[in-house]
Amino acid sequence: MAAPGNVGVRSSLKALSQSINRPSITLAAIVLALALGAMRLPFLEYLRPIGDFYIALLKICVLPFLLSTIPLAVRSAMVGGSAGGTLKSLLIWLLIALITVSAVTALVTSLIFHYLPADEHMIANVGALVGHSTDSIDVEFAIDPNGMPQSTVGMETGIFSVIPTNIFAALSLNDSVRVLIFAVIFGIGMVMTERQSGHSIFGALRHVQAVCIVIFDWFNLLVPIGIVALIAPQIALLGPDAFTVLALFAYAFLATSFLLLLTAILLSALSLRVAPATVFAALLKPMMLGASTRNTLICIPTALETLKDDLKVKSEICDLYIPIGFATIRFGTILYFIVTTLFMGALMGRSFSLIDLGLVAAFAITASFATLGLNGIAALGPLAVVLRPFGLSYEVAVPLMIIIDPIAEIIRVMLNVVINCMIPTFARSVRFGK
Amino acid sequence: MVAGIIMLPRRAAARVLGVIAITTCIVVFAPPSEATEISSPIAARDLQSIIDAKILRVAVTRFDLPAFHAHRFDGNLIGAEIEMAKQIGQALGVGVEFIENADSFDAVVDLVASGSADIGISKLSQTYARLRHVRFSKPYITLRHAMLFNRAAIARDANGQPPAAVLQKFHGRIGLTANSAYVEFAEANFPAATLVEARTWEDAIESLLVGKVDVIYRDEFEIRRILKNRPTLNVQFGAAAIVDQYALLSIAICDTCSKLQEFINYHLERTKNGFTLKTLLDSEIGK
């Protein structure tokens, strides 16, 4: 049992954190970051180490938090006897969300490119941009099939890449997917042995979780500074020339993203029967933490706190879905891959039928899973899976996407956070098979 | 005609006989035809004969090879290859005469093989066919073979695979310069492809742009130079480098000139000449 003094300290810390992270301050920090970034002032590069330091602080407790939260969530679901129903409900809503996000993205983007087609001038500018940003050789091959070095030798592929064969190695490598899978399997095993022997370490895990939350509360005091230090240099990376050339892509990507963000907030409000402004204000903190750190996993504790404390979503559902959903379901990447594919189609004069759009959406969902464990530019690799079946050049797309990635990465993480947060709100209100 | 001669006065007949005799002499003592010469080059030609003649005859293509050699506005030749030829001449202590009437790369080799030139410098690749007629120096630069390909056309054949998979076993239409080493290279490396030989490299590029061919084939410098000078092509066209095929750009040397070959190799080894892909691409003459 916690001492009254400790509880008082923690609640005052929480109150201070809430005061510092109230929507008005968060929004002001975003506006300041955007304005500084747009001005492209030289001193912004000096903010980058501050931002990196902030991200490093936030990462301290992510894996211990996952290792404690997931077994607790598994136990909560299994002991309560609602595991089957909760899982079924979450899976169905997840499937609906995946289909809806990909379908809306494909349709809205294709409509945008239909009414705002790429003209010759823009294609010429994009070509020039690609030419200046690459070394001009985009494919290397050998006439002798044995002439190319095998770069993938020794790499684990497919299902083996997510099996936690060595949990300690996974922890040391920050391999969150393997850690998650281990935590789920270990959580199920712990519940079963608890039933047999009566012994358990769930109490200790609950304590570890509480410690992690306290540490996150400390670092949350720095969120506004983190937003400015991380977003401003990132915005400054994107020069006005690049934006002018890639304006069509940016319009489609931003328009579709904000449409989906808005829809997710509205649907969450509808599901929770609260005002959209309330949901927006609550989700602003995890959303902006994601935007500034460009790391979805870091937002897990804040998102859980927001959903459970501010929006009153059932703890059991949130604890079960949010860590797994944040680590594995990348709505932002799905949207990004679809928009990129349709943009490349517009550049190269390829049109898409409805069946093509469906296939683009399906390939984008599949490719998004291949980005697990990857961040930033490395996560663009699986884009080839979406582009190549339609005869579109991955080699042209990558340099363009690298140029716009500083902004796109921010939006992708915001989408991951908000849409993943929407799913437990639905699973809470509508339970299938009940 | 015979009757005509008989009918002519003695003085006129003597004049006609004189013309016949001169013509016969010209036919007999004139240099043999190119084909004959390739099979029997002048045996004495080598380093000493060049020094004795005080002139090094250097064959180059009539057309410019940007970054390698080009004609200045006043008609004079400039470029890294021209400088290299002048340096060799200087090292030999002789003057340099450029023979610039070759319409193709093979024609430069033919001029050397026929004895009309002592050496040939025009971005010449060593090939089996050429080595039958001339010697080559050590390469002064080695460039990877490369292709510029129509992305959409290659993607159609790729069936979801990377473009390299299609290019490696390319069976479509390849554009290249006629009478260049790349005809031999293409026949060896892409036996299933149809070769479309263009008169000039510019014609080959044009055939790619209008869709007559899906790929053009040459060395990495030429492919990268196209994209460097016309970056807008990057959207539709991609560049591929072949990592195990190299163009060994060397100086063609007359077949009997073993001492000259040794001399040139020593010179190349000593001077290094500064031929690199980057310097060539950055060269003002390359633009």
Side-chain angles (χ1 to χ4, degrees), chain B residues 12-287:
Chain B
R15 204 177 293 159
V16 170
L17 283 171
V19 169
I20 291 167
I22 290 166
T23 311
T24 308
C25 285
I26 290 170
V27 169
V28 170
F29 296 108
S33 68
E34 197 175 280
T36 317
E37 272 187 346
I38 288 171
S39 58
S40 58
I42 298 161
R45 199 153 58 106
D46 201 352
L47 186 70
Q48 194 54 50
S49 64
I50 293 164
I51 294 170
D52 292 345
K54 292 188 169 35
I55 197 86
L56 177 70
R57 295 166 303 159
V58 181
V60 294
T61 53
R62 186 196 298 275
F63 50 89
D64 290 348
L65 292 171
F68 287 84
H69 74 252
H71 287 85
R72 222 166 45 183
F73 61 91
D74 58 3
N76 286 332
L77 279 166
I78 51 167
E81 285 187 331
I82 302 303
E83 285 309 309
M84 184 167 65
K86 285 178 179 172
Q87 282 171 15
I88 293 169
Q90 202 173 17
L92 282 166
V94 301
V96 176
E97 178 196 345
F98 289 102
I99 301 164
E100 18 176 336
N101 54 2
D103 285 324
S104 67
F105 297 96
D106 281 347
V108 174
V109 176
D110 288 344
L111 283 170
V112 177
S114 67
S116 303
D118 301 311
I119 61 172
I121 305 182
S122 278
K123 211 169 168 268
L124 296 173
S125 293
Q126 296 186 27
T127 67
Y128 291 125
R130 288 173 178 174
L131 279 162
R132 287 192 207 118
H133 307 303
V134 294
R135 292 167 181 268
F136 276 102
S137 68
K138 285 179 182 168
Y140 52 88
I141 184 171
T142 301
L143 296 170
R144 294 191 295 184
H145 287 193
M147 296 171 128
L148 189 66
F149 61 93
N150 183 319
R151 294 183 192 278
I154 297 301
R156 267 198 303 275
D157 290 345
N159 204 16
Q161 289 181 299
V166 176
L167 293 171
Q168 195 179 37
K169 300 190 186 310
F170 189 65
H171 56 265
R173 293 162 67 83
I174 297 183
L176 32 72
T177 315
N179 299 319
S180 71
Y182 285 85
V183 176
E184 185 180 318
F185 295 148
E187 282 168 352
N189 294 331
F190 306 103
T194 306
L195 306 190
V196 180
E197 295 183 39
R199 200 176 60 79
T200 64
W201 179 235
E202 282 65 37
D203 292 343
I205 296 170
E206 188 58 29
S207 66
L208 176 72
L209 298 185
V210 299
K212 284 184 185 165
V213 296
D214 297 329
V215 160
I216 51 175
Y217 181 33
R218 213 172 160 186
D219 59 67
E220 187 176 356
F221 164 75
E222 293 295 345
I223 297 300
R224 286 176 63 168
R225 186 174 152 260
I226 296 171
L227 295 175
K228 187 170 192 275
N229 293 343
R230 300 164 77 176
T232 55
L233 296 181
N234 274 293
V235 173
Q236 276 184 289
F237 302 98
I242 307 175
V243 297
D244 59 351
Q245 297 293 314
Y246 295 95
L248 309 173
L249 301 193
S250 312
I251 300 171
I253 303 167
C254 64
D255 203 24
T256 55
C257 303
S258 57
K259 199 69 189 159
L260 178 63
Q261 182 188 31
E262 201 178 321
F263 187 91
I264 290 174
N265 282 344
Y266 173 71
H267 173 78
L268 292 178
E269 191 62 39
R270 207 179 140 163
T271 58
K272 302 291 181 197
N273 273 296
F275 278 91
T276 65
L277 184 58
K278 188 178 183 314
T279 53
L280 290 169
L281 283 168
D282 292 344
S283 162
E284 280 300 311
I285 312 168
K287 288 178 182 166

Side-chain angles (χ1 to χ4, degrees), chain A residues 29-82:
Chain A
I30 294 163
V31 170
L32 180 64
L34 291 175
L36 287 173
M39 284 190 274
R40 306 187 78 199
L41 300 170
F43 83 91
L44 291 178
E45 273 306 304
Y46 296 110
L47 292 181
R48 203 172 278 281
I50 300 172
D52 292 342
F53 177 69
Y54 177 60
I55 291 180
L57 287 179
L58 289 173
K59 279 182 177 172
I60 289 174
C61 283
V62 169
L63 289 183
F65 183 79
L66 289 179
L67 272 178
S68 56
T69 303
I70 293 174
L72 285 170
V74 169
R75 181 184 188 250
S76 169
M78 288 177 77
V79 169
S82 60

Side-chain angles (χ1 to χ4, degrees), chain A residues 127 136 138-142 144 396, chain B residues 144 151 168 231 239 241 243-244:
Chain A
S136 292
D138 37 28
V139 176
E140 287 188 337
F141 68 96
D144 175 3
V396 170
Chain B
R144 294 191 295 184
R151 294 183 192 278
Q168 195 179 37
V243 297
D244 59 351

Side-chain angles (χ1 to χ4, degrees), chain A residues 58-229:
Chain A
L58 289 173
K59 279 182 177 172
I60 289 174
C61 283
V62 169
L63 289 183
F65 183 79
L66 289 179
L67 272 178
S68 56
T69 303
I70 293 174
L72 285 170
V74 169
R75 181 184 188 250
S76 169
M78 288 177 77
V79 169
S82 60
T86 306
L87 267 178
K88 193 176 172 187
S89 171
L90 282 171
L91 281 175
I92 289 172
W93 282 115
L94 175 61
L95 199 65
I96 292 170
L98 281 172
I99 293 168
T100 310
V101 165
S102 53
V104 167
T105 306
L107 288 172
V108 171
T109 310
S110 59
L111 280 175
I112 290 173
F113 291 145
H114 178 74
Y115 288 108
L116 288 171
D119 57 23
E120 287 298 317
H121 181 65
M122 200 203 83
I123 293 170
N125 285 337
V126 167
L129 199 63
V130 174
H132 289 129
S133 61
T134 65
D135 200 24
S136 292
I137 290 288
D138 37 28
V139 176
E140 287 188 337
F141 68 96
I143 296 292
D144 175 3
N146 302 318
M148 285 297 277
Q150 297 294 310
S151 57
T152 54
V153 170
M155 283 179 68
E156 290 172 297
T157 53
I159 192 77
F160 293 102
S161 64
V162 295
I163 293 177
T165 47
N166 182 345
I167 183 61
F168 299 103
L171 284 166
S172 68
L173 292 171
N174 245 349
D175 188 342
S176 50
V177 178
R178 281 184 161 135
V179 171
L180 274 173
I181 290 170
F182 173 81
V184 171
I185 295 169
F186 200 70
I188 294 169
M190 281 168 69
V191 174
M192 294 180 79
T193 54
E194 184 189 28
R195 280 177 186 162
Q196 286 166 4
S197 66
H199 299 302
S200 112
I201 56 162
F202 282 112
L205 283 183
R206 208 165 282 123
H207 187 211
V208 172
Q209 188 192 36
V211 170
C212 292
I213 290 171
V214 169
I215 295 170
F216 278 119
D217 281 343
W218 295 343
F219 299 145
N220 276 342
L221 298 175
L222 303 172
V223 169
I225 298 168
I227 288 173
V228 176

